[in-house]
Amino acid sequence: MAVHKREQFTEAEQQLATIAKALGHPARVAILKLLAKRQACVCGELVLELPLSQSTVSQHLKELKAAGLVQGEVDGPRVCYCIDPAGWARARQLLGGLLAELPNTNNCC
Amino acid sequence: MAVHKREQFTEAEQQLATIAKALGHPARVAILKLLAKRQACVCGELVLELPLSQSTVSQHLKELKAAGLVQGEVDGPRVCYCIDPAGWARARQLLGGLLAELPNTNNCC
DNA sequence: GTTTGCAATCGTAAATTTACGATAAACGAA
DNA sequence: TTCGTTTATCGTAAATTTACGATTGCAAAC
């Protein structure tokens, strides 16, 4: 596009969109679910579980980290990933807010 | 990318990703909130409320419709948009499921 | 210090997204 | 029928996303 106009939306809208965008790929959803299920969350294990190359998984992890949903901790030669508690709390707040704001009723014309 | 590998993920993961992707732009979040707030949901009013051109708003509406989150009904020369009750129920189910599945606890290494 | 193994980054290519103006299509009104 | 209003679509351009192999960087082990 010619120019981004994101700055014209509210902070909450942008944050929610950023989080939703991070969730907007099945690989990243799968990664989050794997991180939630296992205690161990080493990058290499994720690669084994996913139908993607190491570099692609690493890229998805980077995006989840950029969105604040995941954090990584160096553990020797490995990196241990896990859900970022603060970021996920914010995601929970924003997504929950949207679910509350858009009630499950038909208000169509 | 060379090849899409979405088919290697579960149906639920793909559906959730599709919904999240649709929510992954502040304009679309804003549109959904406007549709929830107002009863009237004519396309032209959305254009007036948003810092985007008519064609761009129409394109965002098309994506929301493709994701099943919104439905449009022709009303004379106008089109009346509203939240799609069935699609939003599915979104609620999948997002709610993710919120439940990833508890707000730090399980990091 | 050298090697080994794991993960991040680089370089690249193809597909998709975003945005806009211009045009077309659809409908009611004159 | 013709005109004006409203919305969708087309055409286009720039930016971003997705994916992979190859390379680099890093930390422990030897």
Side-chain angles (χ1 to χ4, degrees):
Chain A
M1 54 296 189
V3 175
H4 260 191
K5 292 199 164 179
R6 305 218 151 184
E7 61 283 349
Q8 314 214 36
F9 296 98
T10 72
E11 193 65 36
E13 281 163 357
Q14 293 180 59
Q15 284 184 19
L16 179 47
T18 298
I19 288 167
K21 198 171 189 179
L23 298 175
H25 193 290
R28 294 195 285 270
V29 174
I31 287 173
L32 285 174
K33 289 190 176 182
L34 283 170
L35 291 184
K37 200 172 63 176
R38 314 176 144 225
Q39 305 304 82
C41 35
V42 177
C43 176
E45 296 187 55
L46 295 173
V47 175
L48 291 178
E49 301 267 9
L50 296 167
L52 296 169
S53 74
Q54 180 265 322
S55 61
T56 303
V57 171
S58 198
Q59 206 169 319
H60 282 304
L61 284 168
K62 189 181 179 182
E63 283 179 66
L64 286 169
K65 217 156 76 174
L69 297 179
V70 145
Q71 65 187 175
E73 192 173 312
V74 175
D75 170 32
R78 278 166 272 278
V79 176
C80 182
Y81 280 98
C82 60
I83 312 279
D84 183 316
W88 185 248
R90 181 70 176 142
R92 177 184 299 281
Q93 182 185 40
L94 289 167
L95 287 172
L98 190 70
L99 291 180
E101 201 165 342
L102 304 214
N104 203 3
T105 58
N106 189 352
N107 64 336
C108 200
C109 318
Chain B
M1 55 291 192
V3 174
H4 261 193
K5 292 198 163 179
R6 306 219 151 184
E7 61 283 351
Q8 315 215 35
F9 297 98
T10 71
E11 194 65 35
E13 281 163 356
Q14 292 181 59
Q15 283 184 17
L16 178 48
T18 297
I19 289 166
K21 198 171 189 180
L23 298 175
H25 193 289
R28 293 194 287 270
V29 173
I31 287 173
L32 285 174
K33 288 190 177 183
L34 283 170
L35 291 184
K37 199 173 64 175
R38 316 178 143 225
Q39 308 302 83
C41 34
V42 177
C43 175
E45 295 186 55
L46 296 173
V47 174
L48 291 178
E49 301 268 8
L50 296 167
L52 296 169
S53 74
Q54 180 266 320
S55 62
T56 303
V57 171
S58 197
Q59 206 170 317
H60 281 304
L61 284 168
K62 190 179 179 182
E63 282 179 66
L64 286 169
K65 218 157 75 174
L69 296 179
V70 146
Q71 63 187 178
E73 191 173 313
V74 175
D75 170 31
R78 279 167 269 279
V79 176
C80 182
Y81 281 98
C82 61
I83 311 280
D84 183 316
W88 185 248
R90 181 70 176 142
R92 178 184 297 281
Q93 182 185 40
L94 287 167
L95 288 172
L98 190 70
L99 292 180
E101 201 165 346
L102 306 213
N104 203 4
T105 58
N106 188 352
N107 64 336
C108 199
C109 318

